Amino acid sequence: APHRGDDEKIRQLGLLRRYGLPVPDFFVIPAVWSKQRRQDMPAELVTPLRHELLARGWNDRPLAVRSSAVGEDAANASFAGIFLSRLNVLGADALAEAVAEVWTSLDTPTAAAYRERLGIGGEPAMAVLVMPLLTAVASGIAFTCDPVSGREDRMLVHANRGLGESLVGGEAVGDEIVFAEDTGDTWRVLEFRPGAKATMSVPSPAGGTRRVPVPV
């Protein structure tokens, strides 16, 4: 049955919850199931997924289905933007389909080339994180140290209107904010570079997402 896993992304969510941050509830499909990704979705997984949604009251709730590959967020590797996530997934049938789609991103030429470049061998595996979709007014990506220089007294935030997939997928240029930590452990805005923010990603009524102009 789906359960909480020990992948880095999942572990970080658990730590955030432990420290009292408002993390939505979630469950995890363990990475071992992804080894069957080139076959039909096994009934031994579909049935527990249906029961999980029913038990949580999520049958009619929009869900986010997120990739969480083994080694995805290692110290010398980041697969951000390479593996798929699926947003606004509605119902058990759509969930099973979304999980299969997320698994297939393990085998794309881009993912294979990145693994080869970093010398990551062996059969790739991916856990999948399932949680309620937050219909965000704005969303962003935060780097707790400068991703270029590695400076830990710098924090970088990219933000855009709507759902975060437009930023992760490189489909939108959001605002970039650089924070600096001073000697009093206070973070201040060092730089602010406004993005174009011409379009944003929003949930579609029938499931999935769509791009719309950002309201003026």
Side-chain angles (χ1 to χ4, degrees):
H3 62 81
R4 301 192 193 285
D6 58 0
D7 176 83
E8 181 64 21
K9 182 184 293 182
I10 297 162
R11 189 180 74 84
Q12 293 293 341
L13 285 175
L15 287 174
L16 290 174
R17 175 180 289 174
R18 177 181 177 184
Y19 294 146
L21 278 75
V23 176
D25 196 12
F26 63 89
F27 67 86
V28 177
I29 302 170
V32 66
W33 286 103
S34 68
K35 297 183 183 297
Q36 302 185 45
R37 64 186 178 276
R38 298 180 183 90
Q39 307 169 22
D40 293 335
M41 177 68 70
E44 305 96 298
L45 177 59
V46 173
T47 299
L49 286 178
R50 291 185 182 278
H51 290 164
E52 194 76 23
L53 293 191
L54 183 62
R56 293 171 180 267
W58 290 0
N59 273 327
D60 299 317
R61 188 165 186 179
L63 302 174
V65 181
R66 302 181 59 196
S67 63
S68 192
V70 176
E72 178 175 345
D73 295 317
N76 63 340
S78 173
F79 283 79
I82 293 178
F83 295 138
L84 290 178
S85 289
R86 286 291 177 256
L87 304 182
N88 198 29
V89 176
L90 304 172
D93 290 340
L95 174 57
E97 182 178 338
V99 170
E101 289 179 354
V102 170
W103 282 341
T104 62
S105 62
L106 279 169
D107 302 315
T108 63
T110 302
Y114 192 67
R115 286 193 295 269
E116 182 178 358
R117 174 184 170 191
L118 295 178
I120 301 174
E123 173 70 15
M126 177 185 287
V128 176
L129 181 69
V130 181
M131 62 199 315
L133 175 69
L134 301 181
T135 307
V137 175
S139 54
I141 305 165
F143 298 89
T144 53
C145 70
D146 190 308
V148 177
S149 69
R151 291 185 58 169
E152 295 186 352
D153 62 343
R154 297 288 186 269
M155 182 164 54
L156 181 65
V157 174
H158 289 280
N160 192 37
R161 296 284 187 91
L163 301 174
E165 66 175 3
S166 60
L167 286 174
V168 175
E171 299 169 343
V173 179
D175 295 334
E176 182 176 281
I177 309 164
V178 180
F179 295 89
E181 186 180 25
D182 61 26
T183 55
D185 293 331
T186 300
W187 291 91
R188 58 185 174 82
V189 175
L190 182 65
E191 296 180 56
F192 175 78
R193 293 185 282 271
K197 299 189 296 295
T199 64
M200 63 181 184
S201 176
V202 299
S204 293
T209 61
R210 59 193 176 99
R211 299 286 299 281
V212 299
V214 173
V216 177

